[in-house]
Amino acid sequence: MSHEVPSALMVDGFSARRSGVGGLSKTTTMIGAGALTAEGVIATQAPATLLVTLPVTVTLLALAAARRHGMSALAYYWAKFSWRRASRYEGTSYRRLLLPHPYRLDLPGVGASSTLIKAHDPVTGRPVGVVQDRATGRMTVTTLLAPGGSLMAPTGTVHGNLRTWSAVLDAMAADEQIKGASVTIQITPGAGEALGDDVRARTDPAAPELAKRIIRELVRTTPHATASVAPWMSVTVDPSASANPPADLAEQVAETLKVVDGLDLSGTGTDIERRATDVDLRRIVRAAYDPDVFTARDDRFEALQWGECGPVAADDGWEEYAHDGGVSVSWVLQEMPRRPIPYSVLLPLLAPGRFQRRITLAYRVLDPYEGEAVLEREISRARQVEQATAEMKGRAKWSQRADALRAEKAAAQAAKGDQVVDWTLMVTVTARSADELPAARQELERAVKAMRSIRLRPAYGAQAAVFAATLPIGYNPLVKG
């Protein structure tokens, strides 16, 4: 089935940061230039050293410029070397231990510095769960959303939703306390019993036999296609980044809730269900590591400590992550789309399948000054590359001209008030056992290929980190230290 999308609902303006020379990053370019300069100075006193240092430097720069799975070859091979070294010393294995005071149970990996706070929301009068990063002081509040869709909505309605979401990003850019946000949709395949029971209870005994036969057949086949959809949005706030920093923990939580309440999601095409409570967060995290407890009662999670929501045992592999209730595979964005994409581009990823799946869009809205500086560097780089190629080959490549035009178009849009946003896409699929892992990986690969416009790749050597990034534990890979 194909879904036709009007041109008015196509989204473009994507670009990867390239601020260096010859495919190198700005940092790598500066390091390479510094190394070559130092080698030249040393060679004036000992020319023979160039026989050793120059080949090494050129090789490293060539690896940094080459691409492997959407990243520099140098970064890829260094990550593989680091992972193998950590694996040799069992640094990729986690086993929960019961340790005496002052030690405590913590989540593994990137979630180790997080802690869960049960707070009271004075606006709604309900409890709310706030995750604090003990290392940075940042706090994350998660909002549970009501699952819905806009495929059947009129074009004008969808266009309005996109404009409203743009206004939400504007609000994030204007607030220095908001450091990042992420939107996650978790799809858990269901057995369909609840739907079957509901249909049988609503069936009229006096209905025609043909109608009842059709309904029974639908109920029989529906379990293979039903799923539980749970979307949520997590916002990371730095409460101390205000003019009057909060003095204690209670004031920090209150400041965080006030900032998050200032984001108005009405009109974005989604409905707010409520702020996630501490029990909600425990359920989400625990069910990610052990999918069998997804439908358990709330009282099973009320007594859990935050660290107990994580795995009892876990092994972080190069391309998979084994934990309590199964094995997960996580993929990340490989490169930015090179053409306009429809607003429904993620539909293949959101379609129910055999395995639990989480799709996370992480955002970091750049403030206007930083965004302008990024775009100016992109324009300068594109023009320099275009000019250098034209001097060597007589004319620039069409792809280089297109890069320059895209950079100038983005700068023009930013000058009119549009925001520059760092974003990435992460997907995690969980199989119940290692035997089902190939089928889960194949299902994910088919969904990724069906999107066409967006390319993903396995999170090589970072499976546990990406797995955690799709959970509401306060970790956003775009928010730096």
Side-chain angles (χ1 to χ4, degrees):
M1 180 182 67
S2 61
H3 174 59
E4 297 295 333
V5 177
S7 58
L9 298 182
M10 304 294 284
V11 183
D12 60 358
F14 306 103
S15 176
R17 289 197 188 190
R18 298 185 181 94
S19 53
V21 178
L24 301 175
S25 66
K26 180 180 178 180
T27 302
T28 306
T29 301
M30 295 177 63
I31 293 175
L36 291 175
T37 302
E39 290 173 5
V41 173
I42 295 174
T44 58
Q45 303 297 325
T49 59
L50 290 178
L51 297 176
V52 177
T53 60
L54 190 60
V56 172
T57 303
V58 171
T59 300
L60 292 177
L61 291 176
L63 286 174
R67 310 301 292 175
R68 183 77 187 270
H69 301 296
M71 67 180 92
S72 72
L74 181 62
Y76 174 83
Y77 290 119
W78 177 255
K80 196 159 192 176
F81 168 78
S82 300
W83 177 83
R84 285 181 173 175
R85 184 174 181 274
S87 179
R88 187 178 300 113
Y89 294 100
E90 298 184 351
T92 58
S93 297
Y94 170 82
R95 300 295 182 268
R96 186 195 299 170
L97 299 175
L98 298 177
L99 300 176
H101 186 77
Y103 300 101
R104 68 186 72 188
L105 291 174
D106 289 324
L107 294 178
V110 295
S113 62
S114 67
T115 185
L116 179 61
I117 301 172
K118 182 179 180 180
H120 177 78
D121 189 350
V123 177
T124 63
R126 297 177 178 176
V128 60
V130 179
V131 177
Q132 182 192 32
D133 189 326
R134 297 190 296 263
T136 63
R138 299 191 185 110
M139 295 185 174
T140 300
V141 176
T142 298
T143 302
L144 302 183
L145 307 175
S150 56
L151 293 181
M152 302 297 291
T155 300
T157 301
V158 178
H159 205 196
N161 294 340
L162 294 176
R163 286 197 303 268
T164 304
W165 179 247
S166 177
V168 173
L169 296 180
D170 289 344
M172 291 184 185
D175 196 328
E176 295 181 354
Q177 292 178 281
I178 298 179
K179 299 304 179 182
S182 63
V183 177
T184 300
I185 299 179
Q186 179 172 280
I187 304 169
T188 304
E193 288 87 352
L195 178 62
D197 293 342
D198 183 64
V199 170
R200 280 189 289 271
R202 293 149 88 61
T203 301
D204 187 353
E209 187 59 33
L210 176 60
K212 290 193 286 187
R213 268 205 314 269
I214 293 176
I215 289 297
R216 285 196 295 268
E217 180 64 19
L218 287 174
V219 169
R220 186 183 67 82
T221 57
T222 293
H224 301 288
T226 59
S228 171
V229 180
W232 63 80
M233 179 178 181
S234 298
V235 180
T236 300
V237 175
D238 185 357
S240 62
S242 61
N244 298 310
D248 55 23
L249 182 61
E251 292 184 3
Q252 292 173 6
V253 172
E255 181 71 16
T256 299
L257 293 176
K258 184 181 71 173
V259 172
V260 175
D261 287 338
L263 292 178
D264 185 9
L265 297 181
S266 59
T268 59
T270 185
D271 295 323
I272 295 178
E273 186 174 323
R274 57 184 168 81
R275 300 285 183 225
T277 66
D278 57 314
V279 176
D280 293 326
L281 297 179
R282 291 190 187 100
R283 174 189 294 276
I284 292 173
V285 175
R286 184 62 200 143
Y289 289 103
D290 187 4
D292 289 335
V293 304
F294 179 76
T295 57
R297 297 180 182 273
D298 286 348
D299 55 10
R300 179 168 181 175
F301 304 97
E302 290 177 351
L304 283 182
Q305 296 184 35
W306 183 236
E308 293 175 326
C309 297
V312 175
D315 293 294
D316 189 9
W318 178 246
E319 292 189 46
E320 68 280 331
Y321 181 51
H323 45 84
D324 290 355
V327 186
S328 295
V329 175
S330 296
W331 285 33
V332 296
L333 184 68
Q334 177 170 330
E335 64 179 0
M336 293 293 176
R338 298 187 178 183
R339 58 183 179 181
I341 59 175
Y343 75 101
S344 57
V345 66
L346 298 181
L347 192 59
L349 280 179
L350 302 176
R354 290 178 52 196
F355 305 96
Q356 186 185 74
R357 190 185 304 166
R358 283 188 305 281
I359 302 94
T360 297
L361 272 169
Y363 300 91
R364 185 178 76 89
V365 185
L366 279 61
D367 66 70
Y369 298 104
E370 182 183 359
E372 180 181 1
V374 169
L375 294 177
E376 288 298 329
R377 286 197 298 267
E378 291 294 320
I379 293 175
S380 298
R381 176 197 169 277
R383 287 178 176 174
Q384 290 172 1
V385 171
E386 186 179 1
Q387 182 178 0
T389 304
E391 291 176 354
M392 289 188 297
K393 298 186 177 181
R395 67 174 181 86
K397 297 180 181 179
W398 286 108
S399 59
Q400 295 171 343
R401 294 181 182 178
D403 286 341
L405 292 175
R406 279 196 296 267
E408 292 174 358
K409 181 180 178 181
Q413 291 173 335
K416 294 179 181 178
D418 291 350
Q419 299 301 327
V420 181
V421 180
D422 274 348
W423 70 278
T424 189
L425 176 64
M426 299 168 285
V427 183
T428 294
V429 61
T430 299
R432 297 299 180 93
S433 65
D435 294 337
E436 294 182 347
L437 185 60
R441 183 179 280 113
Q442 184 181 56
E443 181 179 278
L444 178 58
E445 290 174 351
R446 288 175 176 173
V448 170
K449 289 179 181 178
M451 289 193 300
R452 298 181 182 177
S453 302
I454 296 181
R455 298 179 62 186
L456 303 177
R457 63 165 175 81
Y460 298 111
Q463 290 289 317
V466 176
F467 183 96
T470 62
L471 299 175
I473 64 171
Y475 172 66
N476 187 326
L478 301 181
V479 179
K480 307 302 180 183

